[in-house]
Amino acid sequence: MDVERRKEKDLWRFYFLLIALLSLKTYLVYRFEFTFSLNGIGEELFLMINSIGSIALLLGIGLFRKQSKPGLMLAVYFVLSALLYCNILYYRFYIDFVTVPVLFQFGNVGGLGQSTVELLNLYDPFIVFDSIVLFWLLKRKGLHKLALSKKLKKRTAISSVAVLLCTAALALIMHPLLFEKSYDRELFVKSLGAYTYHVYDIGFNSFTSINSAFADDTELSEIEKYVKDKEVEPSSYEGIANGKNLILISLESTQAFMLNESVDGEEATPFLNKLKEDSFFFPNFYHQTAQGKTSDAEFMIDSSLYPLSGGSVFVRKPQNEFLSLPEALNNEGYTTTSFHGNDREFWNRSEMYETLGYDRFYSKKDFNVSDENSINYGLKDIPFFKQSIPYLKELEQPYSAKFLTLTNHFPYLLEEEDTMISLPETEEEVVNRYFATVRYEDESIKTFFEEMKAAGLYEDSIFVLYGDHYGLSETYDKALGEYLGKEIGPVEHVDLQKVPLIIHIPGEDGEVINTVGGQVDLKPTILELLGVEESKSLNFGTSLFSEKRKDLVIFRDGSFITKNLIYTKNTCYNKESTSKTNRNKCARYFGDVQDELDYSDQVIYGDLLRFIQ
Ligand code: GP9
Ligand code: MN
């Protein structure tokens, strides 16, 4: 065989070796890093092969050209491996896959920090650095660019496309609604493979970003009608906090189950437990955030729209028009502010707050922050509240002030001197430390209430405390389950998405309100209590005080909860017995759930609120 022929053969071998290695690596990651709910051996086998077509085509970027370039093939191999690794890191905490907006918001969420270090594993370097060995092989074999047989390249390209189309067809047979439910990323990845998912995601995001330019007000009337039909009569609580200052407190990563926890007889949240006794307390309140975490919670509370399925609205759509809570309050003469002990650019707050109509944002640069009084993302909660009081005193009344706490943030770091509770001893340090930071946060709220009273600001205020999102993701379900003494299945996991909601109005008696609701309902709830009517409105939520409201909480992945049912992971459950129930019981809500999420997305992608009269 002449040298040229051997080189050609080696190049083909190299291409197929890359396909085989990447397919194997991807499958191992699916099996050992991601948790897919698989139905039977068929889906398991499918998982082994569903990435091959896309890998062959993407590596083909280096092959299907006039001069095939092994170096380019290897570069694509490296990029795909790095993408896989990004997904692994993201999945380890969020149990979700990276989307294009998540990659773009990396700059807004602080890059590599302590949180990322917590997620690393010893074998991680192998996932990406096998490319070095392959590079060595490439050099050793003396592979360089070559003009391969056109016929063979054509055949390979056609076979790759055929494999890809066959896998897509099979996936659609197994899951006919695959593309309609594209926000169900687990389903998408397990059906079409990680790389096809990313290509689709890039296409989808490019399409939606040009979408707003073509939107017009005709889309709006249907949505306005839908929202109008949902509206409920004001409840008897309307206006009970008329003219008061509004204090909103975002309890970072605080889940409702913590309100019931004690370690060695010491409560994890002694102050909140006492406070909820003389407050309106909502034991069935859920967070509805997605990839935008704290910013999603803020967005929902300010706009009563749903967050986007991928990325954060704060980062993706800061130029849009919104009908916000601060705007409604500004119109009533309120001074609207937000307080946070982190950088003002985080989650693109400084830009988005302007859009939402905030008068003033007190961020890290407005506080005295030193190594001693800060940890993890920024200023510790106790000095944060203490240093905020002088600013509050200066504000013209009535005002609204949102306080975003920070210390109880993954990976839950706290110094010895701030630890006020014994730690549980589960196998996961993150779970154990969570108890300490939640306890610290509780102490900071206590300090704040004391200082508000001392400053004479307490009586004239209404306090709304809400958990922004979960703190312990599904990753920690096993350790948490062992601690709580119960297995955490899908139903228990949904139950863990409850976050505290405590509305404290000095002088009002405490009451437990059992309504099933979520963060999207907070804006109308708050406006009702303050007796503020919006001149223009489009709220997807309804007041949690209304007895006529539908008990339905919709999550961004299409799961939902009603008074008696839970729909999650494509399965319908009876809430009370936590057992599976007839799917038809849930099916009657499918249309509403889909409409609600689609309408909210249309409003955001089309920037439709600019057309509202
Ligand atoms: C940081 C804070 C925490 O400013 O909002 O962000 P999170 O990671 O919880 O979204
Ligand atoms: Mn948060």
Side-chain angles (χ1 to χ4, degrees):
M1 200 182 342
D2 63 20
V3 179
E4 204 55 19
R5 286 284 303 280
R6 212 187 60 226
K7 289 247 143 120
E8 276 178 30
K9 219 167 175 186
D10 280 350
L11 196 52
W12 279 107
R13 278 197 188 136
F14 188 67
Y15 170 67
F16 287 113
L17 174 73
L18 293 188
I19 296 179
L21 282 179
L22 193 55
S23 303
L24 179 70
K25 190 156 71 174
T26 309
Y27 174 68
L28 291 177
V29 168
Y30 287 166
R31 256 358 242 108
F32 298 108
E33 286 287 346
F34 304 155
T35 332
F36 294 123
S37 45
L38 297 173
N39 292 324
I41 187 84
E43 284 203 359
E44 175 83 51
L45 287 173
F46 192 62
L47 207 56
M48 271 185 208
I49 55 157
N50 71 6
S51 297
I52 297 177
S54 53
I55 290 175
L57 278 173
L58 289 166
L59 291 174
I61 294 174
L63 185 90
F64 310 132
R65 46 199 310 131
K66 221 168 173 185
Q67 297 259 348
S68 300
K69 293 183 176 169
L72 185 57
M73 284 182 215
L74 189 55
V76 175
Y77 180 92
F78 177 77
V79 170
L80 295 181
S81 301
L83 187 62
L84 196 61
Y85 186 56
C86 284
N87 276 299
I88 293 174
L89 279 185
Y90 193 70
Y91 194 92
R92 279 186 191 151
F93 185 75
Y94 295 107
I95 314 290
D96 194 1
F97 300 93
V98 168
T99 56
V100 174
V102 162
L103 290 177
F104 280 108
Q105 74 199 17
F106 198 61
N108 297 86
V109 295
L112 285 170
Q114 186 65 36
S115 315
T116 321
V117 174
E118 190 72 37
L119 300 170
L120 302 179
N121 262 345
L122 265 176
Y123 63 81
D124 288 1
F126 294 105
I127 300 169
V128 179
F129 294 120
D130 57 342
S131 305
I132 297 176
V133 181
L134 289 163
F135 184 70
W136 169 81
L137 185 74
L138 188 149
K139 286 277 156 213
R140 207 187 109 113
K141 289 268 172 196
L143 294 180
H144 39 76
K145 59 179 178 191
L146 259 185
L148 296 175
S149 139
K150 266 194 195 158
K151 207 162 104 193
L152 270 184
K153 279 194 286 191
K154 206 166 161 188
R155 272 193 204 160
T156 315
I158 291 171
S159 316
S160 308
V161 173
V163 172
L164 186 72
L165 291 179
C166 284
T167 13
L170 270 173
L172 272 172
I173 293 169
M174 289 194 277
H175 305 285
L177 297 178
L178 187 57
F179 286 95
E180 264 151 74
K181 293 180 28 174
S182 60
Y183 47 75
D184 186 345
R185 286 184 280 273
E186 179 193 317
L187 182 66
F188 213 91
V189 173
K190 83 170 183 188
S191 312
L192 292 174
Y195 309 108
T196 311
Y197 154 71
H198 282 297
V199 172
Y200 177 85
D201 184 49
I202 291 169
F204 177 77
N205 281 296
S206 327
F207 170 74
T208 49
S209 60
I210 51 164
N211 196 7
S212 73
F214 298 107
D216 59 42
D217 58 352
T218 47
E219 290 175 52
L220 191 62
S221 46
E222 187 184 335
I223 302 173
E224 277 184 298
K225 184 179 174 306
Y226 171 83
V227 168
K228 206 121 221 87
D229 287 349
K230 278 183 68 176
E231 264 172 28
V232 286
E233 289 290 302
S235 73
S236 56
Y237 298 85
E238 189 187 20
I240 59 168
N242 205 306
K244 296 221 179 206
N245 300 319
L246 167 67
I247 307 285
L248 263 168
I249 303 180
S250 157
L251 302 166
E252 177 58 48
S253 305
T254 308
Q255 287 168 251
F257 79 91
M258 285 301 285
L259 299 180
N260 303 319
E261 289 311 311
S262 297
V263 187
D264 292 344
E266 302 164 77
E267 289 169 282
T269 58
F271 180 74
L272 291 181
N273 290 352
K274 229 182 280 143
L275 182 73
K276 76 179 167 58
E277 295 302 316
D278 27 286
S279 306
F280 296 110
F281 175 59
F282 300 78
N284 296 310
F285 181 74
Y286 295 81
H287 85 84
Q288 294 163 293
T289 62
Q291 292 181 325
K293 306 303 294 293
T294 314
S295 70
D296 277 356
E298 289 186 80
F299 176 67
M300 264 181 279
I301 290 155
D302 277 349
S303 70
S304 196
L305 292 167
Y306 288 86
L308 292 174
S309 146
S312 154
V313 181
F314 269 41
V315 179
R316 298 183 64 185
K317 298 288 171 190
Q319 312 281 1
N320 273 17
E321 187 69 41
F322 294 106
L323 302 172
S324 71
L325 179 64
E327 207 171 276
L329 296 176
N330 289 342
N331 290 341
E332 292 289 308
Y334 274 73
T335 312
T336 48
T337 64
S338 178
F339 292 72
H340 188 37
N342 192 2
D343 299 322
R344 57 196 299 108
E345 281 72 36
F346 205 100
W347 283 130
N348 200 28
R349 284 191 179 97
S350 81
E351 186 183 1
M352 186 61 167
Y353 278 2
E354 291 231 341
T355 301
L356 292 171
Y358 283 89
D359 292 323
R360 177 82 162 91
F361 177 24
Y362 299 87
S363 65
K364 197 175 199 165
K365 71 174 177 53
D366 298 292
F367 297 96
N368 185 356
V369 185
S370 63
D371 281 351
E372 284 71 49
N373 71 7
S374 61
I375 198 160
N376 204 359
Y377 279 91
L379 186 59
K380 290 187 207 169
D381 294 342
I382 292 179
F384 165 62
F385 279 121
K386 280 190 170 165
Q387 291 186 34
S388 299
I389 296 285
Y391 288 128
L392 269 190
K393 280 188 190 162
E394 277 170 17
L395 287 181
E396 199 180 315
Q397 303 200 29
Y399 55 74
S400 77
K402 172 164 66 179
F403 292 88
L404 301 166
T405 62
L406 195 53
T407 311
N408 184 41
H409 191 286
F410 182 81
Y412 311 113
L413 308 173
L414 201 64
E415 277 120 6
E416 187 79 39
E417 76 231 35
D418 293 320
T419 306
M420 302 165 202
I421 189 169
S422 329
L423 302 192
E425 288 170 4
T426 76
E427 65 196 43
E428 293 279 5
E429 280 305 316
V430 164
V431 175
N432 306 343
R433 292 199 300 261
Y434 183 62
F435 280 70
T437 45
V438 168
R439 175 65 187 85
Y440 174 86
E441 177 189 78
D442 183 81
E443 194 68 20
S444 75
I445 310 288
K446 180 179 165 202
T447 311
F448 179 59
F449 271 74
E450 284 168 0
E451 301 240 339
M452 286 293 280
K453 283 181 182 165
L457 296 170
Y458 168 78
E459 290 293 337
D460 293 330
S461 304
I462 150 176
F463 299 83
V464 179
L465 295 85
Y466 68 91
D468 64 349
H469 49 77
Y470 64 74
L472 299 174
S473 69
E474 215 173 322
T475 308
Y476 303 100
D477 275 359
K478 190 168 158 274
L480 184 61
E482 272 162 25
Y483 177 77
L484 297 174
K486 59 178 179 191
E487 199 181 319
I488 299 183
V491 174
E492 291 76 13
H493 181 76
V494 169
D495 205 52
L496 284 171
Q497 305 316 304
K498 284 180 183 161
V499 289
L501 174 61
I502 298 171
I503 301 183
H504 181 74
I505 308 178
E508 288 288 330
D509 287 340
E511 192 178 336
V512 175
I513 313 255
N514 281 307
T515 183
V516 181
Q519 288 161 331
V520 80
D521 300 310
L522 263 183
K523 180 186 167 201
T525 308
I526 292 169
L527 288 176
E528 178 174 277
L529 292 175
L530 295 177
V532 171
E533 261 186 54
E534 294 174 278
S535 51
K536 297 189 260 178
S537 69
L538 191 106
N539 296 316
F540 278 82
T542 44
S543 166
L544 294 166
F545 286 99
S546 161
E547 281 168 11
K548 299 252 166 63
R549 71 186 297 276
K550 235 198 223 168
D551 275 320
L552 175 67
V553 179
I554 298 172
F555 298 101
R556 208 35 270 207
D557 64 355
S559 310
F560 59 85
I561 296 176
T562 72
K563 215 175 184 69
N564 306 311
L565 299 167
I566 293 185
Y567 182 75
T568 183
K569 307 250 178 220
N570 295 311
T571 312
C572 191
Y573 295 90
N574 187 305
K575 210 175 183 181
E576 200 60 35
S577 65
T578 74
S579 55
K580 286 187 191 175
T581 186
N582 190 334
R583 194 180 167 82
N584 289 340
K585 287 192 189 162
C586 285
R588 69 191 187 91
Y589 295 95
F590 288 170
D592 278 356
V593 170
Q594 185 85 35
D595 281 353
E596 182 118 343
L597 291 173
D598 286 351
Y599 283 147
S600 174
D601 282 354
Q602 270 181 50
V603 169
I604 299 169
Y605 285 132
D607 191 10
L608 298 183
L609 295 175
R610 67 197 147 128
F611 300 121
I612 211 155
Q613 295 303 321

